[in-house]
Amino acid sequence: MKHIFVTGGVVSSLGKGLTSAAIGMILERRGLKVSMQKLDPYINVDPGTMSPYQHGEVYVLDDGAETDLDLGHYERYTQARLNRYSNYTTGKIYSEVIARERRGDYLGSTVQVIPHITDAIKDAIRNGVAPGTDVAITEIGGTVGDIESLPFIEAIRQFALDIPVGDVMFVHLTLLPYLRASGEMKTKPTQQSVGKLREIGIQPDVLICRTEQPMTDDMARKISLFCNVRREAVIEERDVEFSIYEVPTMLVKAGLDRIIARRLGLPVEVETDLTDWNRMIEDLRHTTDTCEIAVVGKYTALHDAYKSIYESLAHAGIANGCKVKLRKVRAEDYADGGPALIEGCDGLLIPGGFGERGVEGKIKAIQHARETGLPFFGICLGMQCATIEFARNVLHLEGANTQELDPHSPHPVIHLMPDQANVHEKGGTMRLGACDCDLVPDSLAHRLYGAASIRERHRHRFEYNNEYRARFEAAGFATSGVNPQRDLVEIVELKNHPFFIGVQFHPEFKSKPLHPHPVFDGFVAAALAHSRGAHRGGKPERSRA
Ligand code: GLN
């Protein structure tokens, strides 16, 4: 088994996660089995308690682990099976070491960063490897040179010492800044960040240089010379013009697939087969159809907060042969501005969320979609808001709310799940991970999934209140997915509407570019039908679902 460690230098946000995922994909397309892992240097035990402002979206795995959003890239680009061992933070490593110390496992020794923390990191790396893996890819979060990254970099250096030389390689991602004033790109930051790595004892085998402008051969030679990396292993990864899906293709064109194969002693004469992937990009390039989706949420200013949702919409666009334009609307603005803010949109998506801010705006937007036949898709809090909207405006249950926002609501149509009542710790205590859901025959959900039962990932504490179920159903607000073990309502939909569905789970975590999620697929199909109807000046067509 081989290991690839991916580090980053100069600045953060270079797209290390995406590049690591692309490397995984390239290797799979050469017939290899990969596993993917991320080590994050911050002290939080997991990102589950971090604000989207700090950290972007929290990505949830089947086993309920709340992880870094880069794991989303890994799942979208590769077949790697991820679980709670696929993402470690400094906090998680330290809590394990401290728990061992309290148990007395260290038999009286002084517990130190080296070797105890570094040993725990090495164990974590081994834990992250699934059985049968050919190549294990481990991305180190943060930037080389940060104080908090040091134990991780030290641990991967030691890790390489424990295995044969030909079984490990280091890939370093770096930035070649372009100085507009002098019209040149600079290699010095790259030299310095490689210098930092070499100080610790790691010589990168490959440098992937993120650039805005083309990297000239002269420049690559200079980097090669100063950084002690072979010329052919100094690889340009230029900002993509069109779509992030071009990254794997770009890296293969630059020869990265063969460099890795040669370095790790893997079969070199194999073709990296990206045929279907490249066809997808070409199709996307030539699509002229568009539809526009309004995303009314709390964190619309941040692209990363709803990353998987935006990705899933793009995947559904590919499946429907259209480009999906996004109109990001702050839910609070909608509360004042109203329908004018989403005028011309072909669908409304309300994402998940926590807390009060923006909720009334979301409810108003849903009312508009329900009343005007605008395709609607609500996710988690979005589904809960749709339930509240219907309760207030159709069932006339005054003061209907979720107990999250109004614990004393006279009509708690969304209430705290009973098993959450005595939960006081915040980290990792929600209803998390994949749960079963049986679909009601002939419902929209059933037609979209084409299956009788499904499993989807959850992350919530509150839930549809079954005491109101009969009233909702009688008024046409149907239940179309139910968790069989606990009789929890997981999917709601409106009967007399072109497309109106709310799901308590997070389908965005299971969509891939070549395998779009069925509900996103159906939603975008409905939005496209809406846009065609609108262009003809007529009534929107019913969706193909
Ligand atoms: N805040 C809601 C709950 O805990 C919704 C959670 C979400 O949207 N992920 O139930």
Side-chain angles (χ1 to χ4, degrees):
M1 211 237 316
K2 314 285 181 179
H3 286 270
I4 299 179
F5 292 103
V6 182
T7 55
V10 183
V11 290
S12 56
S13 305
L14 283 180
K16 228 181 328 132
L18 187 67
T19 304
S20 304
I23 292 174
M25 176 180 174
I26 291 169
L27 294 175
E28 283 188 346
R29 297 309 185 97
R30 295 176 71 81
L32 298 162
K33 184 169 158 56
V34 304
S35 62
M36 306 281 316
Q37 185 186 43
K38 173 124 196 239
L39 305 180
D40 273 311
Y42 49 76
I43 316 263
N44 304 62
V45 173
D46 63 41
T49 53
M50 285 159 94
S51 150
Y53 283 118
Q54 298 276 318
H55 200 266
E57 112 189 330
V58 176
Y59 190 83
V60 181
L61 302 179
D62 271 342
D63 70 353
E66 297 177 278
T67 72
D68 184 83
L69 55 76
D70 279 331
L71 277 80
H73 289 306
Y74 304 166
E75 283 203 334
R76 287 189 282 272
Y77 281 71
T78 75
Q79 313 292 323
R81 314 263 322 160
L82 305 185
N83 57 33
R84 58 184 64 256
Y85 304 114
S86 310
N87 191 194
Y88 277 87
T89 65
T90 296
K92 193 160 158 182
I93 298 279
Y94 268 79
S95 10
E96 286 177 9
V97 171
I98 291 169
R100 272 183 234 160
E101 186 275 333
R102 293 288 83 182
R103 273 201 311 265
D105 290 1
Y106 296 110
L107 303 174
S109 42
T110 309
V111 182
Q112 294 180 299
V113 173
I114 302 175
H116 301 100
I117 295 296
T118 46
D119 280 351
I121 296 173
K122 289 194 275 178
D123 288 343
I125 294 169
R126 288 183 208 101
N127 291 340
V129 182
T133 298
D134 298 306
V135 185
I137 301 169
T138 302
E139 176 193 346
I140 316 295
T143 309
V144 168
D146 294 346
I147 291 178
E148 51 184 20
S149 307
L150 261 177
F152 290 95
I153 310 278
E154 168 61 17
I156 62 173
R157 182 192 69 79
Q158 294 179 12
F159 192 93
L161 279 185
D162 297 340
I163 58 178
V165 181
D167 286 357
V168 59
M169 71 183 287
F170 294 98
V171 173
H172 189 59
L173 225 81
T174 172
L175 174 73
L176 298 183
Y178 175 71
L179 297 188
R180 216 164 289 275
S182 58
E184 51 179 352
M185 288 205 302
K186 290 295 186 188
T187 65
K188 188 77 78 193
T190 295
Q191 294 174 38
Q192 287 181 338
S193 102
V194 173
K196 276 265 164 236
L197 261 183
R198 291 172 69 194
E199 242 170 57
I200 307 167
I202 291 178
Q203 170 61 54
D205 300 287
V206 170
L207 287 179
I208 297 183
C209 303
R210 296 280 293 106
T211 72
E212 209 182 300
Q213 304 288 329
M215 173 177 73
T216 62
D217 188 51
D218 277 354
M219 197 163 278
R221 284 184 192 287
K222 184 171 172 190
I223 296 169
S224 157
L225 203 62
F226 281 96
C227 298
N228 196 31
V229 173
R230 299 177 72 86
R231 160 64 189 93
E232 67 272 18
V234 179
I235 287 181
E236 173 193 282
E237 187 187 317
R238 198 150 15 124
D239 291 356
V240 281
E241 274 167 32
F242 174 66
S243 153
I244 56 166
Y245 303 142
E246 291 175 279
V247 172
T249 313
M250 188 192 277
L251 294 176
V252 169
K253 275 201 186 123
L256 182 63
D257 50 348
R258 280 157 192 274
I259 292 170
I260 295 176
R262 237 178 273 129
R263 176 68 185 77
L264 291 178
L266 298 163
V268 178
E269 291 317 319
V270 184
E271 195 59 38
T272 304
D273 185 4
L274 289 172
T275 319
D276 53 349
W277 188 261
N278 290 338
R279 195 181 313 125
M280 169 193 86
I281 298 170
E282 276 318 298
D283 288 350
L284 198 57
R285 211 185 285 278
H286 295 113
T287 49
T288 47
D289 255 345
T290 56
C291 65
E292 187 169 0
I293 303 290
V295 177
V296 179
K298 189 167 168 183
Y299 303 104
T300 42
L302 300 161
H303 192 74
D304 278 356
Y306 305 125
K307 183 134 210 143
S308 295
I309 289 180
Y310 297 152
E311 281 284 318
S312 303
L313 287 170
H315 306 162
I318 295 169
N320 284 282
C322 72
K323 287 204 175 80
V324 177
K325 273 175 66 184
L326 298 173
R327 187 170 323 166
K328 302 174 186 172
V329 178
R330 279 177 70 221
E332 288 158 287
D333 294 345
Y334 193 96
D336 305 325
L341 290 176
I342 59 169
E343 188 162 351
C345 286
D346 306 304
L348 168 70
L349 188 149
I350 308 280
F354 296 82
E356 188 158 18
R357 187 162 67 76
V359 166
E360 291 304 321
K362 291 176 189 175
I363 291 172
K364 266 194 175 176
I366 296 168
Q367 179 177 8
H368 174 75
R370 180 177 58 75
E371 290 174 349
T372 62
L374 182 68
F376 166 75
F377 184 9
I379 295 178
C380 207
L381 182 63
M383 172 268 199
Q384 299 177 350
C385 287
T387 308
I388 298 166
E389 190 280 318
F390 197 86
R392 287 184 190 170
N393 299 324
V394 181
L395 302 181
H396 305 294
L397 301 175
E398 211 176 309
N401 214 328
T402 161
Q403 285 181 330
E404 180 178 2
L405 306 185
D406 181 2
H408 308 295
S409 164
H411 293 293
V413 289
I414 304 294
H415 66 161
L416 188 68
M417 281 182 279
D419 59 354
Q420 288 284 329
N422 294 317
V423 169
H424 300 296
E425 293 233 337
K426 289 273 185 283
T429 54
M430 284 187 247
R431 179 178 181 225
L432 288 166
C435 300
D436 294 326
C437 177
D438 290 346
L439 303 178
V440 172
D442 297 324
S443 60
L444 171 62
H446 186 245
R447 285 198 297 280
L448 291 170
Y449 279 99
S453 71
I454 53 163
R455 273 173 80 75
E456 292 278 8
R457 298 179 188 173
H458 291 251
R459 182 171 187 253
H460 62 120
R461 295 187 203 280
F462 296 84
E463 176 67 46
Y464 180 107
N465 185 344
N466 277 331
E467 274 184 35
Y468 291 87
R469 191 147 144 195
R471 273 182 271 181
F472 274 113
E473 304 232 352
F477 194 82
T479 300
S480 57
V482 177
N483 172 264
Q485 289 90 11
R486 295 170 58 185
D487 195 30
L488 298 173
V489 172
E490 313 284 39
I491 312 178
V492 294
E493 55 189 58
L494 266 187
K495 291 227 167 97
N496 296 313
H497 192 283
F499 188 102
F500 190 105
I501 194 164
V503 299
Q504 182 54 76
F505 44 79
H506 290 273
E508 70 272 26
F509 298 144
K510 286 181 78 169
S511 183
K512 294 181 179 224
L514 293 170
H515 301 282
H517 189 283
V519 182
F520 279 92
D521 189 359
F523 174 56
V524 168
L528 195 58
H530 181 276
S531 110
R532 287 177 181 150
H535 286 136
R536 280 199 291 274
K539 267 182 83 68
E541 290 170 20
R542 280 189 76 86
S543 84
R544 67 165 190 214

